[in-house]
Amino acid sequence: MSEFDVRMIVLSTDDLDESIQFYGDTLGMPLKFRDGAHFAALDGGSVTLALATAVDHPLPGKVVVGIKTADVDAAAKAIEDSGGAIVKGPYNDAHERRAVVYDNKGNGLVFYSPLPR
């Protein structure tokens, strides 16, 4: 089994309410979590579909894949060593250790690991 677990796809939106309604009504995805007017997580089955405004989006305007891993720092370094780039991090936010990176083709990734409680 891989040490990386693709858990989330983050899409950009400029109107969170409208996007939540669109995915709920069109695809029947229930809301799992909402953080004000900036971020929402929808139940996409095996993967969470996240909607984020520029306030909370790691790379506004891009589709970003969220990958859970036990070692955020090593993952970010591996990306950089293989021709990608670290955009931000690794760093701790309120709930997790994160790194925002581009792969070698410019695709956005966020590596994350929950912080101990």
Side-chain angles (χ1 to χ4, degrees), residues 7 29-30 32 41-50:
R7 302 288 298 264
M29 292 182 173
K32 291 171 50 173
L42 304 175
D43 186 349
S46 59
V47 175
T48 296
L49 181 66

Side-chain angles (χ1 to χ4, degrees), residues 3-96:
E3 64 183 88
F4 300 102
D5 187 11
V6 175
R7 302 288 298 264
M8 183 179 300
I9 298 171
V10 186
L11 303 178
S12 289
T13 182
D14 60 356
D15 185 327
L16 192 62
D17 290 324
E18 184 179 296
S19 293
I20 290 169
Q21 182 177 356
F22 177 85
Y23 283 97
D25 292 351
T26 305
L27 301 177
M29 292 182 173
L31 182 66
K32 291 171 50 173
F33 172 79
R34 181 177 182 149
D35 186 4
H38 307 292
F39 181 88
L42 304 175
D43 186 349
S46 59
V47 175
T48 296
L49 181 66
L51 305 168
T53 66
V55 172
D56 278 341
H57 199 292
L59 297 167
K62 292 220 173 237
V63 174
V64 175
V65 177
I67 303 172
K68 187 175 182 181
T69 183
D71 193 340
V72 170
D73 297 62
K77 183 172 179 354
I79 290 289
E80 187 174 45
D81 290 349
S82 296
I86 297 174
V87 178
K88 184 175 180 186
Y91 66 97
N92 291 348
D93 72 2
H95 306 285
E96 60 197 17

